[in-house]
Amino acid sequence: MEHFDYTKITANCLELALKDLTEALYLYEQEQYLLSEKRIFEAIYNASSVLHLIALERNEMASND
């Protein structure tokens, strides 16, 4: 079974989540609440992707033992 590099994808997902949260804060400050809410949900999605990737990597590591 070939090893999949989760580190780079995990870092990208975290970066996207941070960018979405930063933009959400800016939009909220501009009183653009619906757009801010959309960015918050996108950040949550990206953060949950990170958790999923971590779980996949742990499962892969456990199956290799």
Side-chain angles (χ1 to χ4, degrees):
M1 180 176 187
E2 98 181 50
H3 178 70
F4 189 74
D5 183 14
Y6 293 94
T7 305
K8 185 174 181 179
I9 296 171
T10 301
N12 287 342
C13 288
L14 284 172
E15 183 179 351
L16 288 172
L18 182 58
K19 284 174 69 176
D20 287 332
L21 286 174
T22 301
E23 189 170 336
L25 179 59
Y26 172 77
L27 290 168
Y28 186 82
E29 289 173 347
Q30 301 299 315
E31 298 182 1
Q32 296 182 18
Y33 302 116
L34 292 177
L35 291 174
S36 177
E37 184 178 293
K38 180 179 181 233
R39 284 295 186 204
I40 289 169
F41 283 117
E42 289 172 2
I44 290 168
Y45 174 80
N46 285 316
S48 68
S49 295
V50 168
L51 295 175
H52 182 71
L53 288 166
I54 290 169
L56 287 174
E57 184 175 27
R58 285 185 179 172
N59 286 339
E60 183 180 299
M61 290 171 60
S63 68
N64 288 336
D65 290 342

